[in-house]
Amino acid sequence: MATVNKNPETTSQPKSRKGRVALYVLVLFILILAAVFAYNYSFIKGQLGIGTAYGARVACSCHYIGGRDLTDCEKDFEPGMEVIGLSLDDEKRRVTASVPLLASATAEFREGWGCVILPEAEAD
């Protein structure tokens, strides 16, 4: 004769197994994401370098030539550039665009030249 086991310890095992499987899937997903990022790191870093240089130049021109506020200048960015942050150094007349830990570029306003992108050595 078959009996039904109503022991709560045995009925909760499938839930814990499902939880472990979900955790394994999550860990696998994160590892795959990390591998894809590592494989494409130089491409991603290059694109971010271009994006930050463009952002610094556009924001510098917008602020120092156009006379607009820096937050208003972010409206001139292309779609997808939301990750780029801007900072202003009014004393040196510079705008720095950056993506934390990945890329940074600085543009400086020079009378008669407009805004120019500075080499990394000069930007510090």
Side-chain angles (χ1 to χ4, degrees), residues 59-67 88-90 93-95 109 115:
C60 178
S61 296
C62 171
H63 182 72
Y64 289 109
I65 297 171
L88 185 65
D89 183 355
D90 269 329
R93 299 175 83 170
R94 292 181 179 179
V95 174
F109 177 75
C115 289

Side-chain angles (χ1 to χ4, degrees), residues 11-22:
T11 57
S12 66
Q13 276 185 333
K15 287 184 181 180
S16 65
R17 185 171 183 182
K18 285 181 184 178
R20 279 187 288 177
V21 169

Side-chain angles (χ1 to χ4, degrees), residues 10 15 34-35 41 47 55 65-66 82 90 93 101 111 116 120:
T10 58
K15 287 184 181 180
Y41 180 73
Q47 293 297 307
I65 297 171
E82 293 83 14
D90 269 329
R93 299 175 83 170
L101 303 175
E111 199 63 48
V116 295
E120 280 187 39

Side-chain angles (χ1 to χ4, degrees), residues 5-73:
N5 186 359
K6 295 196 178 203
N7 186 353
E9 291 177 12
T10 58
T11 57
S12 66
Q13 276 185 333
K15 287 184 181 180
S16 65
R17 185 171 183 182
K18 285 181 184 178
R20 279 187 288 177
V21 169
L23 179 64
Y24 292 146
V25 169
L26 179 65
V27 168
L28 181 64
F29 178 73
I30 290 170
L31 288 175
I32 290 171
L33 258 167
V36 168
F37 181 79
Y39 181 74
N40 293 309
Y41 180 73
S42 62
F43 174 76
I44 293 169
K45 188 149 172 80
Q47 293 297 307
L48 288 174
I50 293 168
T52 54
Y54 173 81
R57 170 69 169 71
V58 166
C60 178
S61 296
C62 171
H63 182 72
Y64 289 109
I65 297 171
R68 293 167 45 201
D69 188 43
L70 200 60
T71 55
D72 189 45
C73 294

